[in-house]
Coordinates of all heavy atoms in Angstrom, one line a residue:
A1 N -20.3 -22.2 13.5 CA -20.9 -20.9 13.8 C -21.8 -20.9 15.0 O -21.8 -20.0 15.8 CB -21.7 -20.5 12.6
S2 N -22.6 -22.0 15.2 CA -23.5 -22.1 16.3 C -22.7 -22.1 17.6 O -23.1 -21.5 18.6 CB -24.3 -23.4 16.2 OG -25.2 -23.3 15.1
R3 N -21.6 -22.8 17.7 CA -20.8 -22.9 18.9 C -20.2 -21.5 19.3 O -20.2 -21.1 20.4 CB -19.7 -23.9 18.8 CG -19.0 -24.2 20.1 CD -19.9 -24.7 21.2 NE -20.8 -25.8 20.8 CZ -20.5 -27.1 20.9 NH1 -19.3 -27.5 21.3 NH2 -21.3 -28.0 20.5
I4 N -19.7 -20.8 18.3 CA -19.2 -19.5 18.5 C -20.3 -18.5 19.0 O -20.1 -17.8 20.0 CB -18.5 -18.9 17.3 CG1 -17.2 -19.7 17.0 CG2 -18.2 -17.4 17.5 CD1 -16.6 -19.4 15.7
D5 N -21.5 -18.6 18.4 CA -22.6 -17.8 18.8 C -23.0 -18.2 20.3 O -23.3 -17.3 21.1 CB -23.8 -18.1 17.9 CG -23.7 -17.6 16.5 OD1 -22.8 -16.7 16.3 OD2 -24.5 -18.0 15.7
D6 N -22.9 -19.5 20.6 CA -23.2 -19.9 22.0 C -22.3 -19.2 23.0 O -22.8 -18.6 24.0 CB -23.1 -21.4 22.2 CG -24.2 -22.2 21.5 OD1 -25.3 -21.6 21.2 OD2 -24.0 -23.4 21.3
L7 N -21.0 -19.2 22.7 CA -20.1 -18.6 23.6 C -20.2 -17.1 23.8 O -20.1 -16.6 24.9 CB -18.6 -18.9 23.2 CG -18.3 -20.4 23.1 CD1 -16.8 -20.6 22.8 CD2 -18.6 -21.2 24.4
H8 N -20.6 -16.4 22.7 CA -20.9 -15.0 22.8 C -22.1 -14.8 23.6 O -22.2 -13.9 24.4 CB -21.1 -14.4 21.4 CG -19.8 -14.2 20.6 ND1 -18.8 -13.3 21.1 CD2 -19.3 -14.6 19.4 CE1 -17.8 -13.3 20.3 NE2 -18.1 -14.0 19.2
N9 N -23.1 -15.6 23.4 CA -24.4 -15.5 24.2 C -24.1 -15.7 25.7 O -24.7 -15.0 26.5 CB -25.4 -16.5 23.7 CG -26.0 -16.1 22.3 OD1 -26.0 -14.9 21.9 ND2 -26.5 -17.1 21.6
Y10 N -23.3 -16.7 26.0 CA -23.1 -17.0 27.4 C -22.4 -15.8 28.1 O -22.7 -15.4 29.2 CB -22.2 -18.2 27.6 CG -22.8 -19.5 27.0 CD1 -22.0 -20.6 26.6 CD2 -24.2 -19.6 26.8 CE1 -22.6 -21.7 26.1 CE2 -24.8 -20.8 26.3 CZ -23.9 -21.8 25.9 OH -24.5 -23.0 25.4
Q11 N -21.5 -15.2 27.4 CA -20.8 -14.0 27.9 C -21.8 -12.9 28.1 O -21.8 -12.2 29.1 CB -19.7 -13.5 27.0 CG -18.5 -14.5 26.9 CD -17.3 -13.9 26.2 OE1 -16.6 -13.1 26.8 NE2 -17.1 -14.3 25.0
A12 N -22.7 -12.7 27.2 CA -23.7 -11.7 27.3 C -24.7 -12.0 28.5 O -25.1 -11.1 29.2 CB -24.5 -11.6 26.0
W13 N -25.0 -13.2 28.7 CA -25.8 -13.6 29.8 C -25.1 -13.3 31.2 O -25.8 -12.8 32.1 CB -26.1 -15.1 29.8 CG -27.0 -15.5 28.7 CD1 -27.6 -14.7 27.7 CD2 -27.3 -16.9 28.3 NE1 -28.3 -15.5 26.8 CE2 -28.1 -16.8 27.1 CE3 -27.0 -18.1 28.8 CZ2 -28.7 -17.9 26.5 CZ3 -27.5 -19.3 28.2 CH2 -28.4 -19.2 27.1
L14 N -23.8 -13.5 31.2 CA -23.1 -13.2 32.5 C -22.9 -11.7 32.7 O -22.9 -11.3 33.8 CB -21.7 -13.9 32.4 CG -21.7 -15.4 32.5 CD1 -20.2 -15.9 32.3 CD2 -22.2 -15.9 33.8
G15 N -22.8 -10.9 31.6 CA -22.7 -9.5 31.7 C -21.4 -9.1 32.2 O -20.4 -9.9 32.3
G16 N -21.2 -7.8 32.5 CA -19.9 -7.3 33.0 C -18.9 -7.3 31.9 O -19.2 -7.4 30.7
T17 N -17.6 -7.2 32.3 CA -16.5 -7.1 31.3 C -16.3 -8.4 30.7 O -15.6 -8.5 29.7 CB -15.3 -6.6 32.0 OG1 -15.0 -7.5 33.1 CG2 -15.4 -5.2 32.6
A18 N -16.9 -9.5 31.2 CA -16.7 -10.8 30.5 C -17.3 -10.8 29.1 O -16.9 -11.6 28.3 CB -17.4 -11.9 31.3
T19 N -18.1 -9.8 28.8 CA -18.7 -9.8 27.5 C -17.7 -9.5 26.4 O -18.0 -9.7 25.2 CB -19.9 -8.8 27.4 OG1 -19.3 -7.5 27.7 CG2 -21.0 -9.1 28.4
R20 N -16.5 -9.0 26.7 CA -15.5 -8.6 25.7 C -14.4 -9.6 25.6 O -13.4 -9.3 24.9 CB -15.0 -7.2 26.1 CG -16.0 -6.1 25.8 CD -15.4 -4.7 25.9 NE -16.4 -3.7 25.7 CZ -16.7 -3.2 24.5 NH1 -16.0 -3.6 23.4 NH2 -17.6 -2.2 24.3
K21 N -14.5 -10.8 26.2 CA -13.4 -11.8 26.0 C -13.4 -12.3 24.5 O -14.5 -12.7 24.0 CB -13.6 -12.9 27.0 CG -13.2 -12.6 28.4 CD -13.2 -13.8 29.3 CE -12.9 -13.4 30.7 NZ -12.8 -14.6 31.6
P22 N -12.3 -12.3 23.9 CA -12.3 -12.8 22.5 C -12.6 -14.3 22.4 O -12.3 -15.0 23.3 CB -10.8 -12.5 22.0 CG -10.3 -11.5 23.0 CD -11.0 -11.7 24.3
I23 N -13.2 -14.7 21.3 CA -13.5 -16.1 21.0 C -12.5 -16.5 19.8 O -12.5 -15.8 18.8 CB -14.9 -16.3 20.6 CG1 -15.9 -15.8 21.6 CG2 -15.2 -17.8 20.3 CD1 -15.8 -16.4 23.0
W24 N -11.8 -17.6 20.0 CA -11.0 -18.1 19.0 C -11.5 -19.4 18.5 O -12.1 -20.2 19.3 CB -9.6 -18.3 19.5 CG -8.7 -17.1 19.7 CD1 -9.2 -15.8 19.7 CD2 -7.3 -17.0 19.9 NE1 -8.2 -14.9 19.9 CE2 -7.0 -15.6 20.0 CE3 -6.3 -18.0 20.0 CZ2 -5.7 -15.2 20.3 CZ3 -5.0 -17.6 20.3 CH2 -4.7 -16.2 20.4
A25 N -11.3 -19.7 17.2 CA -11.8 -21.0 16.6 C -10.7 -22.0 16.5 O -9.6 -21.7 16.2 CB -12.4 -20.7 15.2
V26 N -11.1 -23.2 16.8 CA -10.2 -24.4 16.6 C -10.9 -25.4 15.7 O -11.5 -26.3 16.2 CB -9.8 -25.1 18.0 CG1 -8.8 -26.2 17.8 CG2 -9.3 -24.1 19.0
P27 N -10.8 -25.1 14.4 CA -11.6 -26.0 13.5 C -10.9 -27.3 13.3 O -9.8 -27.5 13.6 CB -11.6 -25.1 12.2 CG -10.4 -24.3 12.3 CD -10.2 -24.0 13.7
Q28 N -11.7 -28.2 12.7 CA -11.3 -29.6 12.4 C -10.4 -29.6 11.2 O -10.8 -29.2 10.1 CB -12.5 -30.4 12.2 CG -12.3 -31.9 11.9 CD -13.6 -32.6 11.8 OE1 -14.7 -32.0 12.1 NE2 -13.6 -33.8 11.3
S29 N -9.2 -30.1 11.3 CA -8.3 -30.2 10.2 C -7.3 -31.3 10.3 O -6.2 -31.2 10.0 CB -7.5 -28.9 10.0 OG -6.8 -28.9 8.8
F30 N -7.8 -32.4 11.0 CA -6.9 -33.5 11.2 C -7.3 -34.6 10.2 O -8.4 -34.6 9.6 CB -7.0 -34.0 12.6 CG -8.4 -34.2 13.1 CD1 -9.2 -35.3 12.8 CD2 -9.0 -33.2 14.0 CE1 -10.5 -35.5 13.3 CE2 -10.3 -33.4 14.5 CZ -11.1 -34.5 14.1
S31 N -6.3 -35.6 10.1 CA -6.5 -36.7 9.2 C -6.9 -37.9 10.0 O -6.4 -38.1 11.1 CB -5.3 -37.0 8.4 OG -5.0 -35.9 7.5
I32 N -7.8 -38.7 9.4 CA -8.2 -39.9 10.1 C -7.0 -40.9 10.0 O -6.1 -40.7 9.2 CB -9.4 -40.6 9.4 CG1 -9.2 -40.7 7.9 CG2 -10.7 -39.7 9.6 CD1 -10.3 -41.5 7.1
P33 N -6.9 -41.9 10.8 CA -8.0 -42.4 11.7 C -8.2 -41.7 13.0 O -7.2 -41.4 13.6 CB -7.6 -43.9 11.9 CG -6.1 -43.9 11.9 CD -5.8 -42.8 10.9
E34 N -9.4 -41.4 13.3 CA -9.8 -40.9 14.6 C -11.1 -41.6 15.1 O -11.8 -42.2 14.2 CB -10.1 -39.4 14.6 CG -8.8 -38.5 14.4 CD -8.1 -38.3 15.7 OE1 -8.6 -38.8 16.7 OE2 -7.0 -37.7 15.6
D35 N -11.3 -41.7 16.4 CA -12.4 -42.5 16.9 C -13.8 -42.1 16.4 O -14.6 -43.0 16.2 CB -12.4 -42.5 18.4 CG -11.2 -43.2 19.0 OD1 -10.7 -44.2 18.3 OD2 -10.7 -42.9 20.1
Y36 N -14.0 -40.8 16.3 CA -15.4 -40.4 16.1 C -15.6 -39.9 14.7 O -16.8 -39.7 14.3 CB -15.7 -39.2 17.0 CG -15.7 -39.6 18.5 CD1 -14.5 -39.4 19.2 CD2 -16.8 -40.2 19.1 CE1 -14.5 -39.8 20.6 CE2 -16.8 -40.6 20.5 CZ -15.6 -40.3 21.2 OH -15.6 -40.7 22.5
W37 N -14.6 -39.7 13.9 CA -14.7 -39.0 12.6 C -14.3 -39.9 11.5 O -13.2 -40.5 11.5 CB -13.8 -37.8 12.6 CG -14.2 -36.8 13.7 CD1 -15.2 -35.9 13.7 CD2 -13.7 -36.8 15.1 NE1 -15.3 -35.2 14.9 CE2 -14.4 -35.8 15.8 CE3 -12.7 -37.5 15.8 CZ2 -14.2 -35.5 17.1 CZ3 -12.5 -37.2 17.1 CH2 -13.2 -36.2 17.8
S38 N -15.1 -40.1 10.5 CA -14.9 -41.1 9.5 C -14.1 -40.6 8.3 O -13.6 -41.4 7.5 CB -16.3 -41.6 8.9 OG -17.0 -40.5 8.3
R39 N -13.9 -39.3 8.2 CA -13.1 -38.8 7.1 C -12.6 -37.4 7.4 O -13.0 -36.8 8.4 CB -14.0 -38.7 5.8 CG -15.2 -37.7 6.0 CD -16.0 -37.6 4.7 NE -17.1 -36.6 4.8 CZ -17.0 -35.3 4.6 NH1 -15.8 -34.8 4.3 NH2 -18.1 -34.6 4.7
D40 N -11.6 -37.0 6.5 CA -11.1 -35.6 6.6 C -12.1 -34.6 6.1 O -12.9 -35.0 5.2 CB -9.8 -35.5 5.8 CG -8.7 -36.3 6.2 OD1 -8.9 -37.1 7.2 OD2 -7.6 -36.2 5.7
P41 N -12.1 -33.4 6.5 CA -12.8 -32.4 5.8 C -12.3 -32.2 4.4 O -11.1 -32.4 4.2 CB -12.6 -31.1 6.6 CG -12.1 -31.6 8.0 CD -11.3 -32.8 7.7
T42 N -13.1 -31.8 3.5 CA -12.6 -31.4 2.2 C -12.0 -30.0 2.3 O -12.3 -29.3 3.3 CB -13.7 -31.4 1.1 OG1 -14.7 -30.4 1.5 CG2 -14.4 -32.8 1.1
S43 N -11.3 -29.6 1.2 CA -10.8 -28.2 1.2 C -11.9 -27.2 1.3 O -11.8 -26.2 2.1 CB -10.0 -28.0 0.0 OG -8.8 -28.8 0.0
D44 N -13.0 -27.5 0.6 CA -14.1 -26.5 0.6 C -14.8 -26.5 2.0 O -15.1 -25.4 2.5 CB -15.2 -27.0 -0.4 CG -14.8 -26.6 -1.8 OD1 -14.0 -25.8 -2.0 OD2 -15.4 -27.2 -2.8

């Protein structure tokens, strides 16, 4: 949520028509092993 809020805020800071660019989410849904992540997200 914080990252999406950040991107909306940056667009507002820039002003102009950039304020209306859609934001899409790319959430974490991969299975380990990965370098930085020790486990999968739970369903919840």
Side-chain angles (χ1 to χ4, degrees):
S2 296
R3 187 59 49 87
I4 293 173
D5 290 347
D6 287 342
L7 299 184
H8 282 302
N9 287 336
Y10 301 156
Q11 292 192 77
W13 294 355
L14 292 174
T17 56
T19 58
R20 289 190 178 270
K21 288 186 179 182
I23 306 298
W24 287 12
V26 184
Q28 180 179 348
S29 187
F30 48 79
S31 294
I32 55 174
E34 289 280 358
D35 289 333
Y36 299 94
W37 301 274
S38 63
R39 64 176 179 85
D40 297 5
T42 65
S43 296
D44 284 342

